[in-house]
Amino acid sequence: MAAPTEPRSTPPSLSIIVDSNPSNSRLSELGIKSWPKWGCAPGIYKLKFDAEETCYLVKGKVKAYPKGSKECVEFGAGDVVVIPKGLSCTWDISVAVDKHYKFESSSSSTS
């Protein structure tokens, strides 16, 4: 007889990683100033990430609620955030966001 299944939650591999207030040398190493910029007004947005995104928030404040998780991840101005490929989440933006971003392009095929 099979064991009862637990409700699905966000796998650890789909966790949002926040690096709060990284050093200027880390920002230079990432090349953030050469990345495109994106901005958004306060509001609630449902997002699905089809590629890993790394972003640096110049301004703003976000509470991200990963699908299937009861926890939220908070980040804002001065944070570098890595959002894994395949993550669906809801962003509750309380302060307008202005960020630099980059999507990871997969250089290898996994088929």
Side-chain angles (χ1 to χ4, degrees):
M1 186 166 164
T5 57
E6 292 290 319
R8 286 192 151 197
S9 62
T10 303
S13 61
L14 292 184
S15 296
I16 297 171
I17 299 166
V18 179
D19 181 2
S20 295
N21 298 307
S23 66
N24 285 334
S25 61
R26 172 85 172 121
L27 297 177
S28 293
E29 176 185 307
L30 290 169
I32 286 182
K33 293 192 184 213
S34 67
W35 297 356
K37 285 185 91 176
W38 179 84
C40 180
I44 295 181
Y45 303 89
K46 292 188 182 294
L47 304 169
K48 168 97 166 78
F49 292 85
D50 294 326
E52 180 181 282
E53 178 182 335
T54 302
C55 60
Y56 172 72
L57 275 75
V58 177
K59 64 182 183 180
K61 187 165 186 169
V62 178
K63 285 184 181 177
Y65 296 88
K67 186 175 180 179
S69 174
K70 293 182 167 105
E71 306 283 318
C72 80
V73 178
E74 295 185 58
F75 48 92
D79 292 339
V80 171
V81 182
V82 179
I83 302 158
K85 177 180 179 178
L87 182 73
S88 293
C89 61
T90 300
W91 280 25
D92 182 354
I93 299 175
S94 58
V95 176
V97 167
D98 187 12
K99 69 176 185 172
H100 288 279
Y101 69 94
K102 155 180 106 152
F103 290 106
E104 291 301 320
S105 53
S106 181
S107 56
S108 61
S109 169
T110 56
S111 47

